[in-house]
Amino acid sequence: MKYTLHQLQLFLEISQCKSITKTAETLHLSQPAVSIQLKNLQDQFSIPLTEVVGRKLYVTEFGMEIAEAAKKIIEEVDAINYKSLSYAGKLSGKIKISVASTGKYVMPYFLSDFMNKHKGVDLIMDVTNKTKVLRSMERNEVDFALVSVLPKKLKVNSVELMKNQLYFVGGSQLELKQVPTQKELFTKLPLIFREEGSATRNAMEQFTSKHSYQIRKKIELTSNEAVKQAVQAGLGFSIMPLIGIKNELKEKELQIIPVKGLPISTTWQVIWLSSKNLSPAATAYLEYLKINKERIIDSHFSWIKKYES
């Protein structure tokens, strides 16, 4: 057999994505290139690795065993590379971080200098909602997570980064001759929510419940970007993290509407399981955070002070 490491990496991704299209997008390849490599790998086995039912691709039981073996091989190759760098006196390894969706506006700035300095360190960052972030941490699938609310059921250590403030936001086309009353804002105007499991969704529901607001019409969207576009288009209003609407405020595409009791204020924190044995790369990253976080905040997030109440 003459299958290559590249083919094994590609098939491992197919087994996780269950889609040629998604695999191509993830690996930044064309769909034909993925299909050709899958065929070349399949040609070396007499038992099918995948099957197509209807228009959906499935990985066979045999294929899943090959994918599991491929994962072990790739991990061993990574270990060899990391050891080589270690012997050369360079920090090496892999850091896995799960980030609550609006944290994508924060986390890259706290990573860039560290990653540029340590070329032997690989980064895997998954951006998803709060529920999935905590699930990945509970299963010990990641080194760190970025959250705005500490989990109650997990024993974690944390490093505080910066404030996360949520404001009531409307489109710029809305001309308010006078600020609507609280009742008018929440009972007469459509309110746009994030999906279930989102920390922003939870914060909005806690706020409206606390004030006993009866929402007239609720719209649910599954990403912060989708909410922004909907609010800009005049579809409704929302309570949104300030960190995610910098450019829209600057370009006057969105406006903050003053509401008593807002902003909701939490703190972005990097957390990790108290019981976790951190790798040298992960330990070095924590030290970097503690030393450099204030400098990073001053360099990249000083604009927030303009809006803080």
Side-chain angles (χ1 to χ4, degrees):
M1 292 187 177
K2 298 180 180 179
Y3 44 78
T4 66
L5 181 63
H6 175 65
Q7 288 172 344
L8 293 178
Q9 290 172 323
L10 183 143
F11 184 66
L12 178 59
E13 193 64 39
I14 289 174
S15 72
Q16 295 169 342
C17 293
K18 306 292 193 300
S19 165
I20 297 296
T21 301
K22 290 181 180 178
T23 298
E25 292 174 353
T26 301
L27 299 180
H28 305 291
L29 297 171
S30 67
Q31 291 184 41
V34 173
S35 296
I36 290 170
Q37 289 301 319
L38 175 59
K39 182 180 183 302
N40 291 341
L41 181 63
Q42 176 64 76
D43 287 345
Q44 299 178 68
F45 299 97
S46 60
I47 304 172
L49 298 170
T50 63
E51 57 186 359
V52 177
V53 180
R55 293 187 177 182
K56 191 169 182 180
L57 182 140
Y58 294 87
V59 179
T60 65
E61 184 177 350
F62 174 70
M64 291 307 298
E65 290 189 12
I66 296 301
E68 186 62 30
K71 181 180 179 182
K72 292 178 181 177
I73 291 169
I74 292 165
E75 288 175 348
E76 288 297 323
V77 171
D78 287 343
I80 291 171
N81 292 335
Y82 297 147
K83 286 176 182 177
S84 299
L85 289 167
S86 179
Y87 271 93
K90 298 178 181 179
L91 184 66
S92 61
K94 186 180 293 183
I95 296 177
K96 296 181 180 180
I97 302 177
S98 189
V99 177
S101 55
T102 48
K104 67 186 177 185
Y105 302 108
V106 175
M107 201 68 222
Y109 294 99
F110 290 91
L111 284 163
S112 58
D113 287 349
F114 179 84
M115 295 303 299
N116 289 331
K117 180 179 179 182
H118 300 291
K119 302 297 185 181
V121 176
D122 293 333
L123 171 68
I124 298 176
M125 187 169 77
D126 180 39
V127 180
T128 183
N129 65 37
K130 176 189 172 185
T131 299
K132 293 179 180 178
V133 167
L134 296 183
R135 186 182 303 147
S136 65
M137 172 140 289
E138 185 177 9
R139 294 174 178 173
N140 197 29
E141 296 172 345
V142 296
D143 298 302
F144 304 111
L146 180 70
V147 297
S148 57
V149 179
L150 290 176
K152 296 179 180 179
K153 296 182 180 181
L154 293 176
K155 291 184 179 180
V156 298
N157 297 325
S158 65
V159 173
E160 290 189 358
L161 297 185
M162 55 184 286
K163 282 185 179 180
N164 177 42
Q165 295 188 310
L166 290 81
Y167 289 82
F168 194 88
V169 177
S172 59
Q173 76 278 9
L174 178 68
E175 296 183 5
L176 297 174
K177 297 179 180 179
Q178 61 182 27
V179 178
T181 66
Q182 305 284 87
K183 185 176 180 180
E184 289 174 332
L185 283 175
F186 289 95
T187 62
K188 292 187 177 181
L189 303 173
L191 197 59
I192 302 175
F193 286 78
R194 283 286 305 278
E195 77 283 4
E196 292 283 354
S198 161
T200 301
R201 166 72 169 258
N202 292 343
M204 288 179 67
E205 290 181 334
Q206 289 172 11
F207 180 80
T208 55
S209 176
K210 178 181 178 181
H211 293 84
S212 301
Y213 294 134
Q214 299 297 315
I215 308 303
R216 180 183 74 85
K217 185 174 182 180
K218 182 185 293 185
I219 299 171
E220 181 177 305
L221 300 174
T222 57
S223 75
N224 197 61
E225 292 301 318
V227 172
K228 279 198 293 188
Q229 293 298 320
V231 174
Q232 283 179 237
L235 191 59
F237 299 80
S238 191
I239 296 176
M240 303 188 69
L242 178 63
I243 193 71
I245 56 174
K246 174 185 177 182
N247 293 334
E248 289 75 16
L249 290 173
K250 182 179 179 181
E251 299 300 324
K252 300 188 185 306
E253 296 169 344
L254 293 176
Q255 62 175 313
I256 292 174
I257 301 170
V259 172
K260 186 178 180 180
L262 293 178
I264 300 168
S265 186
T266 57
T267 302
W268 285 115
Q269 301 183 64
V270 170
I271 64 172
W272 64 99
L273 292 174
S274 300
S275 58
K276 185 159 185 78
N277 293 318
L278 294 174
S279 67
T283 300
Y285 179 62
L286 275 182
E287 290 303 312
Y288 165 83
L289 267 188
K290 293 172 183 176
I291 294 171
N292 292 280
K293 65 176 185 177
E294 295 301 333
R295 173 185 62 80
I296 295 168
I297 293 169
D298 289 342
S299 297
H300 298 287
F301 300 103
S302 58
W303 63 271
I304 289 176
K305 296 177 182 178
K306 175 182 177 182
Y307 300 96
E308 288 181 340
S309 55

